[in-house]
Amino acid sequence: MDTYIGQTLLRMIKGDITSQPTEAIVNAANSSLLGGGGVDGAIHRAGGPQILAECIEIRKRQGECPTGQAVITSGGNLPAVYVIHTVGPVWKGGQHGEDELLASAYRNSLTLARKHGIRSISFPSISTGAYRFPVDRAARNALQTVRDYINSGADFAEIRFVLFSENVLKEFQEAWSELGTAGY
Ligand code: ADP
């Protein structure tokens, strides 16, 4: 599904984020930055050891990456030039700041991208795998955060959501149409 927010192409597709040719892809990392399962494991496998070597350097410099924050490395062997590693919240029932932390993960990823002059970026559905954030709520959060970010004057050429299953893609499409009709 393709749509526009101002000048920014917003694309939602089913696919594997490791094969996306956008300038940056976003990794749903954990605070250790030392790799994990899910999309994190897939990115390190496909991108090769360079990415982990850079993550280790970042850890030496600044320690762990707090939830909601983001760091950047090269893309190693990936088509993307950069990987932005962000840490989404673990779902603990919804009363522990999870919504705000998820929005921060998206916002801080976009801010880091802009700092590096990145014009196109792919996101996975952060926190909705091992971290168990409900997909419908996460989709609404992701799309609302990205839309508000762009509408605040920070445009990109393209922002892509690369969803790993038909079901998650459907949740994002539904969330987008609900946002559209909610009068935002
Ligand atoms: P988290 O720990 O933030 O929940 P996960 O990697 O466990 O992160 O899951 C986040 C989402 O990424 C899930 O929807 C999962 O299905 C999806 N995912 C897993 N592998 C890939 C991939 N190669 N490309 C895109 N999305 C992926």
Side-chain angles (χ1 to χ4, degrees):
M1 177 183 147
D2 288 0
T3 183
Y4 276 89
I5 307 171
Q7 302 291 309
T8 301
L9 172 62
L10 176 69
R11 175 170 280 175
M12 292 171 235
I13 60 167
K14 178 175 168 240
D16 181 342
I17 203 162
T18 63
S19 59
Q20 303 305 313
T22 48
E23 276 178 82
I25 64 169
V26 175
N27 180 16
N30 59 54
S31 288
S32 80
L33 297 175
L34 299 181
V39 71
D40 196 347
I43 287 172
H44 284 287
R45 272 195 304 280
Q50 173 67 24
I51 300 174
L52 184 58
E54 290 179 44
C55 285
I56 291 169
E57 283 309 309
I58 292 168
R59 267 202 64 142
K60 279 188 197 149
R61 273 202 314 275
Q62 64 183 59
E64 295 203 328
C65 182
T67 304
Q69 302 295 308
V71 301
I72 190 166
T73 66
S74 76
N77 302 327
L78 296 169
V81 182
Y82 298 99
V83 178
I84 292 174
H85 307 259
T86 191
V87 182
V90 176
W91 179 257
K92 293 177 186 157
Q95 303 298 314
H96 296 83
E98 292 97 325
D99 292 305
E100 190 43 42
L101 287 167
L102 185 61
S104 291
Y106 282 103
R107 267 197 303 272
N108 285 321
S109 297
L110 292 170
T111 297
L112 198 50
R114 273 170 67 78
K115 236 163 123 178
H116 288 261
I118 292 162
R119 299 284 302 149
S120 60
I121 183 166
S122 296
F123 282 99
S125 176
I126 298 167
S127 283
T128 61
Y131 284 1
R132 300 182 315 274
F133 205 115
V135 180
D136 55 344
R137 185 158 163 167
R140 210 177 327 124
N141 185 315
L143 292 167
Q144 200 166 340
T145 302
V146 163
R147 187 196 52 193
D148 291 352
Y149 194 92
I150 294 166
N151 284 340
S152 73
D155 76 313
F156 286 82
E158 181 181 339
I159 297 179
R160 202 178 274 202
F161 282 94
V162 182
L163 294 328
F164 209 45
S165 70
E166 200 60 55
N167 177 51
V168 178
L169 172 62
K170 203 171 123 257
E171 294 282 3
F172 270 71
Q173 289 170 337
E174 280 175 15
W176 182 252
S177 60
E178 279 164 26
L179 281 186
T181 54
Y184 289 98

